[in-house]
């Protein structure tokens, strides 16, 4: 299962409303960085065959089957720290992250 905090769900809902289209948020991983994997996040306009969907606070989260094994149990939050804001992944599968925080391994 993958969940969104209420703050993250509100941010996604607001953005989808402004955007005028989309079914939810698509999460995934890709090979990258010094630790091996990096998160991929985008707005989903459709659910593809084989995708897993989860709903949290009224927002759909769409994940491809290859990424699900690395994201299972993840909670996605939306944080603001000073002038910076963005999504924060609370992923229980992460064993190590690179120093810059851009990649991880499981």
């Amino acid at each position: 299962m993958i969940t969104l905090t209420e703050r993250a769900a509100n941010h996604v809902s607001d953005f989808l409303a402004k955007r005028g289209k989309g079914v939810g948020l698509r999460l995934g991983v890709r090979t990258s960085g010094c630790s091996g994997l990096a998160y991929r996040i985008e707005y989903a306009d459709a659910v593809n065959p084989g995708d897993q969907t989860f709903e949290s606070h009224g927002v759909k989260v769409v994940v491809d089957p290859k990424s699900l094994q690395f994201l299972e149990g993840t909670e996605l939050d939306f944080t603001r720290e000073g002038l910076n804001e963005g999504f924060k992944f609370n992923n229980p599968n992460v064993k190590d992250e690179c120093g810059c925080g851009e990649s991880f391994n499981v």
Side-chain angles (χ1 to χ4, degrees):
M1 180 163 216
I2 297 173
T3 59
L4 301 175
T5 64
E6 188 173 352
R7 184 178 14 227
N10 289 339
H11 181 76
V12 173
S13 292
D14 290 347
F15 189 84
L16 287 172
K18 288 177 190 172
R19 190 172 178 250
K21 65 177 182 174
V23 297
L25 192 67
R26 179 175 295 280
L27 301 180
V29 297
R30 60 183 168 80
T31 303
S32 178
C34 49
S35 291
L37 298 170
Y39 294 111
R40 190 180 77 239
I41 187 169
E42 57 194 22
Y43 292 94
D45 291 328
V47 176
N48 300 324
D51 284 345
Q52 293 289 317
T53 59
F54 305 92
E55 190 164 325
S56 197
H57 300 284
V59 174
K60 278 188 185 175
V61 178
V62 181
V63 182
D64 67 89
K66 291 180 183 177
S67 296
L68 185 59
Q69 64 183 323
F70 303 109
L71 296 173
E72 184 64 44
T74 296
E75 177 190 62
L76 188 63
D77 193 9
F78 187 80
T79 61
R80 287 191 174 106
E81 296 175 11
L83 298 175
N84 298 321
E85 65 180 18
F87 289 104
K88 180 180 179 190
F89 288 81
N90 299 311
N91 185 343
N93 304 302
V94 171
K95 302 277 189 270
D96 193 26
E97 294 179 309
C98 70
C100 65
E102 293 295 318
S103 64
F104 66 97
N105 68 40
V106 293

